[in-house]
Amino acid sequence: FVNWIASREGMEIYDRARPEYPAALFDDLFGYLGAAHPHPAIVEVGPGTGQATQALLARGARVTAVELGPSLAAYLANKYRANADLGVVTGAFEQVPLAEGRWDAVFAATAYHWVDAAQRMARPGALLAPGGVLAIVDTNQVESDADRGFFVRCQPVYLKYRPDERAGVG
């Protein structure tokens, strides 16, 4: 998967196939940020090809997208090259240099599980301005008849790469 997604063709297919996030999610986030932040400064963690990035930008955010994968970062930067409100930084969220105490939100959509557990609260705590928001969107994969065995087939991957965070069976 890593080699495939790093290819231009793989990224384009992934970008087209990956669903967007519900508009209500961003309505809630921007409602929570309030009128005091009509153009919030947001650090987006793990934007991938930009499904959530698009919604953040459309609502007036100034986004600094922190993408670990150099190919994905380049794809994202190119995809939104005409938007001056997006900056793309390549590297691990835990390590990239970002100004501390100035961000209105740290946002991650189905990517925060890749952040080192010891930094999941500490890093946003250092980056956020007073009253800033840490917003994490995540999904839970559970065993279901509807998944046609997908959950069970994925368990070896979870166990290999995230033994400390075993997925639940339900």
Side-chain angles (χ1 to χ4, degrees), residues 13-86:
I13 292 169
Y14 179 79
D15 191 33
R16 286 193 311 268
R18 180 106 179 158
E20 294 180 6
Y21 295 94
L25 182 153
F26 300 98
D27 294 343
D28 288 349
L29 173 62
F30 280 74
Y32 191 78
L33 290 169
H37 302 285
H39 301 287
I42 298 177
V43 173
E44 183 183 8
V45 181
T49 59
Q51 284 72 16
T53 311
Q54 178 177 337
L56 296 170
L57 292 169
R59 285 169 174 73
R62 292 168 287 127
V63 178
T64 296
V66 180
E67 175 55 53
L68 181 61
S71 296
L72 279 170
Y75 183 90
L76 182 68
N78 185 58
K79 181 178 177 180
Y80 295 105
R81 68 184 170 277
N83 194 319
D85 287 330
L86 175 66

